Amino acid sequence: MLGEGILKGLAETAKNFAGSYVSKDRLTTVQYPEERIAPIEATRDFPFLVYDGEDWQAGLRCVACQICEKECPPKCIYIEKSKDKKPDYVGKPQIYPARFDIDISVCMSCQICVEVCPFEAIKMDTVFELATEDRFGGLLLDRSKLAKSNEYYHTIHPTEAAEVDARLAEEKAKVEAKARAAAEAAAAKAAAAPAAGAPAKTEPPAVKPAGGAE
Amino acid sequence: MTNPATEYAAGQGIGDARLDGRMVVDPDSGTDLLEVAMGPHHPSTHGVFRMDVALDGERITRLKPVFGYLHRNHEKLGEGHTYLASMPYTDRLDYICSLTNNWAYALAVEKLAGQEVPERAEYLRVIVGELTRVQNHALSVGFLIQDMGASGTPLMYAFREREKILDLFEALTGSRMMCNYMRFGGCRVDATSEWLDAVRKVVTGLPQFADEFEQLLCTNEILMARTQGVGVLRPELAVSAGVTGPALRAAGVNYDIRKVDRYSIYDRFKFKVPLGEHGDVYDRFMIRLLELRESIKILEQALKEIPDGPVMDPKAKIRNFRPKVGEAYGRIEAPKGELGFYLISDGGPNPYRYRVRPPSFVNLTILEDMCLGHNVADVVLILGSVDIVLGEVDR
Amino acid sequence: MKTLEEIQAAIEAAVPGAGVEIVPNPAPSGEHSLRLKPETAVEVATFLRDDGELALDYLSNVTGVDWPDKEIAEKVKVTRAVTKTVDGVEQTAEETVEETRKRVEPGFLEVVYHLFSMARSHGPVVLRMRTGNRSDRVDLPSLTPVWRSAEFQEREIFDLYGVVFKGHPDLRRILMWDGFKDHPMRRDYVAPDDFEYEPTPHDEVLARAQAHRAAQQAAAAAQEGTGQ
């Protein structure tokens, strides 16, 4: 019968129309901005800088190594190194970024800066309502706007942040253990020095690094 | 150096602006021909694409595709970037199917550098690749119907399914369209078991979508009248013109790179290659729906068999990646056809030559042959059935 | 599929004097290629397509590669006659000196074709051709009459590299506009000064910005000078 196919199609449309009142699968529309979908953990849009502790200037993990600046495909990162050094999370004096700008009108959210960063200092944010009236200044984020606390990182990417924290703690423990071993060795050497004159004195047994157990 | 903007301002125009809607006399028949520019801002051209059409009444007597409006010299950019930094740019070629673009590029670089991919990563690649195919085919069929004048409804049904798949992409890769997921020697992140469960749930719902979509359209008399016998592509011409993908198989040529090259782990899955008989618009429409069903089969098998293990080759390098001197051509069966990457390395951190063989671009070669003798309204359908994305055509 | 050596022999048998060379590829992909002489390229291509056993009916990819002039510094041992005065007597002796000589290896444009067979499901066979140089001897025979899929791709190479394909049915620019003068994919192409303001220019963008600003300031200064 001519028109049978059209009628079949119309029956399908009717089914979907009625179904959209009862089935969530048939109505996926979300009325943004009144309604919002639940945040997805892996979402990424623009990078931010992680800091530890209370003060963002003291706690920035970034050491201005400029790897991200070099690897960034659209070249949207701009870094100026500091002249002086300040202690990083393990207490080692490090250079810090005197200037760190990201031009998010150029950034293409590819996440390569995060992948190449050896210091877990730059991560991807999930904020997306960044519209501004200022074409250049409003989309150029400097250090103060980029710095966000580790707690914030934990709220947006909990799984990933926990992994990063565990990795950093492990590294810190390793560094501390090494420092302690070095200190102990130095102390042992110092203790051994006055006794050096005594005959048949053997070297003190080397102190083994104790790992993270102590 | 000429600047397009100043040239345009000086009234010289951009492109081969020979078209001014003037009447031209056809030397053979003596009738008046009308030259029309369809595009570059025509809603049916799926982007900024122009067809210079000469019309005899309603009939097409000549059609020359004009493109380059989106040209950004992607290949030159690739030569100026490291191998890794080109990966996010490949997302922007065929922006509907970023994951298959990633895959083709990763495959070419792996061939160039001789890298291995762990098994779990191969499975993940197949899963995301076939999901990409499903959403691309749903969308292209939806747009084809939209071009025909069925505003909204079928396209929105297709978009609804695509939405579910894009949510999966976001949960895995962090982005819905610009996924930037694959790396040389594996994938960037591992999938959680929750994610795999979510995929299973979406995949179980897909056959119902395919059934409903077929019920909605396949026997529709208007659709059949508009598409059957329109834009016929002969198999000999299709082969000679390098047409690939659903358009080639609709012409009856059995050529699917997943079967021919057996790249990745496609030899482990059972699936059929649907073939058309007539090579017209209707066949191309149906082939897409049938391929969508085959992709669901592959997805079901892959989800059942996916093993545990690493997703990155431990020997793979993220920084300071420098393949040895040489060249390689890697290709995959992307949803639109053969997507190939040809790379020449001179041992440096950047490729010496980075070439993309885009399926949409080559498939447009025979647009004129398919359109000649048809009406203007059919051109819209024929172009829609080729399924192009201008980001890939213009690069 | 036949090995490349067998294909080479088959071509030589079918097209006498074809002069096809094998170009090895050191990459793990092992895709070695055949270099055709432009004079016999169309004949060889037709043979590759029509031969029953090879049946390379599908030309997948056509692309250009630019190899600019290369300056090669090499050490050469030179023997020359030296006249010395030894004990008040002039003597002529031969002396070998190592000299660094620079020579310029002329550049060329290369076109690469990737062939597959749809009928027999094999491939790829890679063909290459070279132009004489990069300026005036840039013509090559078009393979569009043999494989239709070369049509747009050869137009693209003409557009972006400037290789002129003889026998192409419709050789026009394809991605750039018609009035455009240069070939942007060549390695010595200089991009136009279309600097766009960026708040934090650095690296190449900074270099471009500085050049742009210098030109602007010079223009402004010149205008000021005429104004006074």
Side-chain angles (χ1 to χ4, degrees):
Chain A
M1 188 191 83
L2 189 68
E4 200 183 331
I6 296 176
L7 289 177
K8 261 203 244 169
L10 283 175
E12 206 53 60
T13 323
K15 198 166 106 189
N16 270 286
F17 174 66
S20 67
Y21 284 95
V22 287
S23 160
K24 194 89 192 86
D25 275 351
R26 288 191 197 277
L27 186 71
T28 46
T29 315
V30 175
Q31 300 289 345
Y32 177 83
E34 287 81 21
E35 278 179 64
R36 277 156 194 271
I37 51 168
I40 296 178
E41 209 187 307
T43 308
R44 62 166 199 261
D45 41 37
F46 297 113
F48 71 94
L49 296 174
V50 188
Y51 68 86
D52 295 306
E54 296 298 314
D55 178 18
W56 69 265
Q57 272 177 316
L60 272 188
R61 287 181 191 169
C62 178
V63 298
C65 68
Q66 294 182 309
I67 290 176
C68 55
E69 187 184 19
K70 215 165 66 194
E71 295 281 336
C72 174
K75 299 263 182 280
C76 71
I77 304 177
Y78 180 68
I79 300 173
E80 267 174 28
K81 285 186 178 189
S82 66
K83 298 277 186 293
D84 55 332
K85 290 185 175 186
K86 65 176 186 188
D88 67 351
Y89 64 97
V90 288
K92 210 166 106 189
Q94 289 277 22
I95 293 168
Y96 62 93
R99 189 169 166 196
F100 195 115
D101 294 341
I102 293 182
D103 186 355
I104 58 167
S105 65
V106 175
C107 175
M108 64 180 189
S109 311
C110 65
Q111 208 179 19
I112 282 181
C113 51
V114 178
E115 270 167 76
V116 297
C117 180
F119 302 97
E120 313 279 4
I122 189 165
K123 296 288 166 196
M124 295 308 273
D125 208 341
T126 55
V127 288
F128 55 91
E129 287 152 325
L130 293 161
T132 167
E133 286 172 1
D134 184 358
R135 155 81 173 78
F136 295 111
L139 294 174
L140 178 69
L141 305 185
D142 61 5
R143 281 192 313 164
S144 62
K145 284 188 203 138
L146 287 170
K148 290 185 181 170
S149 68
N150 195 22
E151 287 73 48
Y152 173 77
Y153 180 37
H154 271 276
T155 56
I156 55 171
H157 303 302
T159 327
E160 195 190 294
E163 278 168 24
V164 166
D165 273 6
R167 207 152 49 222
L168 286 178
E170 198 182 317
E171 249 169 63
K172 193 175 176 181
K174 244 187 232 166
V175 170
E176 272 174 8
K178 213 171 159 191
R180 202 177 309 127
E184 273 173 31
K189 216 172 181 183
K201 177 78 185 167
T202 51
E203 281 288 303
V207 182
K208 277 190 186 155
E214 284 181 16
Chain B
M1 208 60 59
T2 46
N3 183 342
T6 51
E7 204 173 304
Y8 187 70
Q12 290 164 3
I14 298 176
D16 55 333
R18 290 171 289 117
L19 290 177
D20 44 12
R22 63 185 189 274
M23 307 290 263
V24 182
V25 179
D26 182 9
D28 299 333
S29 61
T31 53
D32 287 345
L33 297 181
L34 179 67
E35 286 196 36
V36 179
M38 286 182 78
H41 292 288
H42 192 279
S44 76
T45 55
H46 298 226
V48 272
F49 173 66
R50 188 170 104 211
M51 288 171 280
D52 282 358
V53 185
L55 295 174
D56 178 6
E58 266 286 291
R59 273 192 315 108
I60 308 282
T61 59
R62 200 199 71 197
L63 183 147
K64 294 284 172 207
V66 179
F67 32 77
Y69 296 95
L70 270 183
H71 181 54
R72 58 221 183 256
N73 223 342
H74 180 93
E75 293 175 9
K76 188 96 179 173
L77 286 176
E79 287 173 13
H81 282 120
T82 59
Y83 286 87
L84 174 66
S86 281
M87 184 60 91
Y89 284 106
T90 62
D91 291 337
R92 284 130 176 107
L93 283 170
D94 174 0
Y95 42 78
I96 310 275
C97 319
S98 68
L99 282 158
T100 45
N101 299 345
N102 283 182
W103 196 355
Y105 180 49
L107 197 80
V109 176
E110 280 151 13
K111 244 176 126 177
L112 181 69
Q115 276 182 314
E116 298 283 319
V117 182
E119 187 150 308
R120 186 175 170 86
E122 293 278 25
Y123 271 92
L124 282 174
R125 284 180 179 192
V126 168
I127 291 169
V128 292
E130 292 305 320
L131 283 174
T132 306
R133 196 181 314 278
V134 167
Q135 57 104 358
N136 176 73
H137 283 355
L139 208 58
S140 81
V141 167
F143 274 123
L144 177 65
I145 308 300
Q146 169 96 353
D147 289 346
M148 210 178 293
S151 306
T153 311
L155 179 63
M156 284 305 133
Y157 290 176
F159 258 99
R160 188 183 62 198
E161 285 326 293
R162 178 169 181 256
E163 189 61 29
K164 294 173 190 164
I165 293 172
L166 290 193
D167 282 346
L168 291 175
F169 289 168
E170 186 176 6
L172 179 66
T173 69
S175 186
R176 291 155 58 81
M177 287 173 78
M178 304 296 135
C179 297
N180 183 18
Y181 177 57
M182 288 171 205
R183 291 288 175 265
F184 319 127
C187 299
R188 183 160 53 79
V189 285
D190 196 1
T192 59
S193 58
E194 294 87 49
W195 185 80
L196 288 171
D197 287 338
V199 179
R200 281 186 193 105
K201 194 167 158 253
V202 169
V203 170
T204 0
L206 284 174
Q208 195 203 348
F209 160 72
D211 289 343
E212 285 187 3
F213 212 79
E214 279 178 19
Q215 188 84 340
L216 180 71
L217 289 164
C218 289
T219 55
N220 187 310
E221 285 82 357
I222 302 171
L223 181 120
M224 294 204 287
R226 285 291 310 274
T227 55
Q228 288 182 349
V230 172
V232 175
L233 177 63
R234 286 176 296 108
E236 311 83 63
L237 180 64
V239 171
S240 165
V243 176
T244 42
L248 175 73
R249 292 187 284 273
V253 182
N254 186 356
Y255 195 74
D256 187 320
I257 297 168
R258 290 176 293 173
K259 289 274 189 198
V260 174
D261 278 11
R262 299 180 162 270
Y263 64 93
S264 186
I265 46 165
Y266 273 112
D267 47 351
R268 298 188 195 173
F269 305 117
K270 283 201 190 89
F271 66 100
K272 290 186 199 123
V273 180
L275 295 179
E277 254 177 69
H278 310 93
D280 55 5
V281 174
Y282 187 77
D283 273 12
R284 290 196 275 278
F285 163 78
M286 282 306 289
I287 289 289
R288 293 214 165 84
L289 284 178
L290 293 172
E291 276 189 14
L292 192 151
R293 286 182 182 276
E294 295 302 320
S295 288
I296 299 172
K297 273 191 217 163
I298 298 175
L299 278 169
E300 282 166 352
Q301 294 170 51
L303 285 167
K304 207 180 283 169
E305 292 165 15
I306 181 166
D308 284 332
V311 291
M312 263 310 264
D313 180 9
K315 280 178 280 176
K317 280 165 103 177
I318 288 284
R319 274 182 284 150
N320 293 328
F321 177 72
R322 288 161 190 261
K324 291 199 185 79
V325 179
E327 59 174 57
Y329 180 69
R331 58 172 196 164
I332 66 160
E333 182 72 34
K336 292 183 169 64
E338 173 184 331
L339 175 63
F341 280 83
Y342 173 60
L343 298 163
I344 301 182
S345 165
D346 59 353
N350 299 359
Y352 183 81
R353 178 78 178 98
Y354 165 91
R355 153 79 179 167
V356 189
R357 189 263 185 213
S360 307
F361 175 72
V362 183
N363 287 0
L364 278 178
T365 313
I366 37 72
L367 188 64
E368 180 173 22
D369 302 64
M370 290 199 287
C371 290
L372 287 183
H374 287 295
N375 292 344
V376 178
D378 294 333
V379 172
V380 172
L381 276 189
I382 294 167
L383 180 68
S385 73
V386 176
D387 187 16
I388 57 162
V389 158
L390 268 299
E392 189 176 66
V393 174
D394 293 344
R395 278 159 296 138
Chain C
M1 201 181 76
K2 282 180 174 177
T3 62
L4 218 53
E5 285 77 18
E6 286 166 356
I7 295 174
Q8 189 190 23
I11 292 171
E12 285 295 336
V15 186
V20 177
E21 288 171 61
I22 292 181
V23 185
N25 172 12
S29 65
E31 285 164 357
H32 310 294
S33 43
L34 293 170
R35 186 180 300 131
L36 310 187
K37 277 206 289 197
E39 303 83 56
T40 54
V42 176
E43 266 179 273
V44 171
T46 316
F47 164 74
L48 291 174
R49 183 193 63 185
D50 296 339
D51 182 57
E53 208 174 326
L54 287 169
L56 296 163
D57 49 5
Y58 166 43
L59 170 62
S60 161
N61 177 41
V62 187
T63 187
V65 189
D66 183 14
W67 301 96
D69 297 348
K70 226 179 359 189
E71 196 173 76
I72 299 173
E74 48 186 6
K75 286 191 174 154
V76 194
K77 280 194 177 155
V78 186
T79 318
R80 57 184 172 193
V82 184
T83 319
K84 281 184 197 164
T85 317
V86 182
D87 302 331
V89 186
E90 269 199 9
Q91 283 181 337
T92 313
E94 285 208 334
E95 190 183 59
T96 311
V97 193
E98 210 168 70
E99 244 181 31
T100 311
R101 280 192 190 171
K102 280 186 182 164
R103 74 189 160 86
V104 174
E105 200 168 80
F108 54 88
L109 300 166
E110 193 170 36
V111 181
V112 186
Y113 295 82
H114 284 85
L115 299 171
F116 292 86
S117 170
M118 281 196 185
R120 294 184 162 265
S121 301
H122 61 227
V125 172
V126 190
L127 307 181
R128 329 177 78 93
M129 270 193 282
R130 282 179 180 187
T131 61
N133 57 22
R134 298 171 72 248
S135 47
D136 52 346
R137 285 162 53 214
V138 289
D139 41 325
L140 286 177
S142 166
L143 298 188
T144 308
V146 187
W147 292 285
R148 180 73 193 284
S149 61
E151 185 183 334
F152 281 8
Q153 304 192 60
E154 283 184 345
R155 266 179 76 184
E156 189 188 322
I157 298 166
F158 165 72
D159 186 356
L160 302 181
Y161 282 94
V163 178
V164 179
F165 289 97
K166 297 275 178 216
H168 192 284
D170 183 21
L171 198 64
R172 289 180 288 136
R173 286 196 177 264
I174 190 165
L175 294 170
M176 308 304 283
W177 57 99
D178 270 355
F180 191 78
K181 292 286 181 312
D182 213 335
H183 304 292
M185 277 302 285
R186 290 206 182 180
R187 294 188 85 84
D188 49 6
Y189 171 74
V190 183
D193 178 24
D194 55 352
F195 170 74
E196 196 184 324
Y197 172 76
E198 257 188 52
T200 56
H202 56 281
D203 293 0
E204 58 262 56
V205 185
L206 180 65
R208 214 155 15 114
Q210 277 166 346
H212 185 83
R213 277 186 203 134
Q216 260 184 343
Q217 276 164 1
Q223 205 157 24
E224 227 166 70
T226 51
Q228 285 170 354

